[in-house]
Amino acid sequence: MSPDVPDNVFLQRWEKTRERLAAAGVDGILLGGGSDLAYLTGYEAMPLERITAFAGRLSPPDSKPALIVPALEAARVRPRPAVYSTQSWGDTTDPVEVIAQAIPDSGAVVVSDDLWAMHVIGLQRRVPGVALIPIGEAIGGLRELKSPAERDALAEAGSLADKVMVQIQSGEVPLVGRTEAEIAADIASRLLAAGHDTVEFIIVASGPNSASPHHHPGSRVVQADEMVLFDFGGRFNGYCSDTTRCVHTGPIPDEVRFVYTILAAAQEAAVQQARPGHSLAEVDLAARSIIAGAGFGDNFIHRTGHGIGVEVHEPPYVTELNSDPIEVGHAFSIEPGIYFPGQWGMRLEDIVVIEADGARRCNNSDRSLLEV
Ligand code: ZN
Ligand code: ZN
Ligand code: ZN
């Protein structure tokens, strides 16, 4: 995150977070390093055993949270006294003690879902009267409601990934005769050339490998007349892209073409369901019912999507069990897939951001199965 982000962005984020936590009946917060801490402070902590924490009380409402950092990293912190107080701890101090001073000594305190066990358990022993609750359980994702500027950033990142997908779909990226790993390396440089700051992940899955949703590109050489699935993303200005398309290296067999029409219809139906007033489960079920109705329910082996923002996977998750309402500011993938193990598979993925009038797609490359 740029160090130039003004204090008021973080003050607004903390105020919104404070309101959501208070509404959930929570009294305090403790975040270890990671994306939530960076979201509220702008500080990207080193993910090491010396804990960096964001800790605070919800009442009184004007209490200032603390950014607690290892002394040897304190020089990296930009002081933002309007947003947080900065406290450092040295190697002869017990950081749990510093954290305990910054949170309430009774009631409920949310902790980041990925806080290290040694810190959670140390704190639990130090403040036995406090109920520690995973933040996801209390309020879902701290970062899940994106501001208009964040939604625009996701759309911009998406358009950069689309540029590379269009290069693949137009045949500009050689496929047949190259290994998946070679093609992935080529895509990595193209993602950067398109303007991404970093590459986050690349899946190139050819032939039978396309039936493995999280295949790691390897030494298999792409053949003529087979499916090749591309799923990749990078980061631009702090926000991630993530898109999937399939191409066929030769004439498309009728069976493959037929299954693809089911997949594309399922993805479109899910995008149409993605609007305020519906639940996340309804988005999943819109895709799932079409695929199951065509007889391929057992071949759609994952949820329909995941939230996205400063991380590629973050809440909210689009599953048939998540009955949470869709809200303006949500951002998530819609990526149904149909897989035939050992043979071939296909997936179609766009990121959408939710506006008042429905889903706005961040990916707009051709959604059809193209022959290259
Ligand atoms: Zn995935
Ligand atoms: Zn993806
Ligand atoms: Zn995805």
Side-chain angles (χ1 to χ4, degrees):
M1 194 175 309
S2 154
D4 307 328
V5 180
D7 283 358
N8 71 319
V9 169
F10 300 111
L11 287 169
Q12 283 165 13
R13 289 176 179 177
W14 170 237
E15 188 50 33
K16 192 166 77 178
T17 302
R18 228 188 57 76
E19 282 169 16
R20 292 175 70 200
L21 290 169
V26 167
D27 305 292
I29 182 170
L30 168 62
L31 305 173
S35 302
D36 282 348
L37 184 141
Y39 178 78
L40 290 180
T41 64
Y43 179 61
E44 292 185 15
M46 301 179 79
L48 300 175
E49 78 292 352
R50 287 189 181 97
I51 188 172
T52 300
F54 176 91
R57 300 178 176 84
L58 266 61
S59 71
D62 61 351
S63 7
K64 189 103 2 226
L67 179 58
I68 299 168
V69 293
L72 76 168
E73 289 161 20
R76 302 177 63 221
V77 174
R78 166 171 165 172
R80 292 181 184 269
V83 184
Y84 50 76
S85 68
T86 307
Q87 300 179 22
S88 62
W89 60 276
D91 285 346
T92 56
T93 310
D94 178 4
V96 167
E97 197 53 45
V98 182
I99 290 167
Q101 302 299 326
I103 61 170
D105 54 13
S106 65
V109 172
V110 289
V111 299
S112 16
D113 290 353
D114 54 2
L115 194 64
W116 289 26
M118 66 182 197
H119 299 129
V120 179
I121 293 170
L123 191 66
Q124 189 71 83
R125 288 177 182 148
R126 172 63 181 70
V127 285
V130 170
L132 300 177
I133 303 169
I135 192 166
E137 196 180 302
I139 60 165
L142 187 147
R143 310 183 307 275
E144 75 180 43
L145 297 177
K146 272 75 179 178
S147 69
E150 291 183 287
R151 284 174 247 160
D152 287 346
L154 283 163
E156 210 167 346
S159 73
L160 301 181
D162 287 353
K163 284 186 188 173
V164 180
M165 201 59 92
V166 168
Q167 292 165 7
I168 292 167
Q169 292 177 317
S170 68
E172 201 178 306
V173 180
L175 302 180
V176 175
R178 296 170 96 192
T179 67
E180 294 171 344
E182 283 167 347
I183 296 166
D186 189 349
I187 291 171
S189 55
R190 289 169 187 267
L191 285 169
L192 296 174
H196 286 95
D197 300 316
T198 58
V199 174
E200 291 299 310
F201 68 97
I202 298 172
I203 295 172
V204 178
S206 62
N209 291 340
S210 57
S212 168
H214 273 179
H215 175 69
H216 183 78
S219 58
R220 187 178 186 280
V221 175
V222 174
Q223 311 291 308
D225 298 314
E226 66 179 16
M227 187 76 87
V228 189
L229 181 153
F230 297 90
D231 182 356
F232 49 70
R235 188 183 299 264
F236 174 66
N237 269 348
Y239 288 81
C240 294
S241 59
D242 180 7
T243 184
T244 306
R245 297 289 187 267
C246 297
V247 300
H248 208 270
T249 54
I252 302 166
D254 287 346
E255 183 200 8
V256 174
R257 191 182 295 282
F258 169 72
V259 179
Y260 196 86
T261 61
I262 305 296
L263 178 72
Q267 205 253 5
E268 177 63 29
V271 171
Q272 294 307 322
Q273 284 294 311
R275 53 179 61 245
H278 290 158
S279 69
L280 290 154
E282 284 175 288
V283 175
D284 182 273
L285 289 167
R288 200 165 299 282
S289 61
I290 288 175
I291 292 172
F296 303 118
D298 291 342
N299 305 90
F300 180 13
I301 53 174
H302 53 73
R303 65 191 176 206
T304 293
H306 55 84
I308 186 168
V310 298
E311 290 184 16
V312 180
H313 285 201
E314 61 181 47
Y317 296 101
V318 186
T319 75
E320 57 187 311
L321 298 178
N322 189 351
S323 56
D324 289 349
I326 294 170
E327 294 180 56
V328 172
H330 273 158
F332 48 83
S333 70
I334 296 185
E335 50 177 309
I338 301 176
Y339 310 95
F340 302 94
Q343 300 174 57
W344 50 273
M346 48 173 61
R347 180 164 67 252
L348 177 59
E349 174 179 27
D350 292 324
I351 301 303
V352 298
V353 294
I354 304 301
E355 308 288 355
D357 57 354
R360 163 183 162 204
R361 293 192 206 242
C362 298
N363 299 106
N364 293 290
S365 64
D366 196 330
R367 284 182 200 91
S368 47
L369 178 61
L370 296 176
E371 178 186 330
V372 295

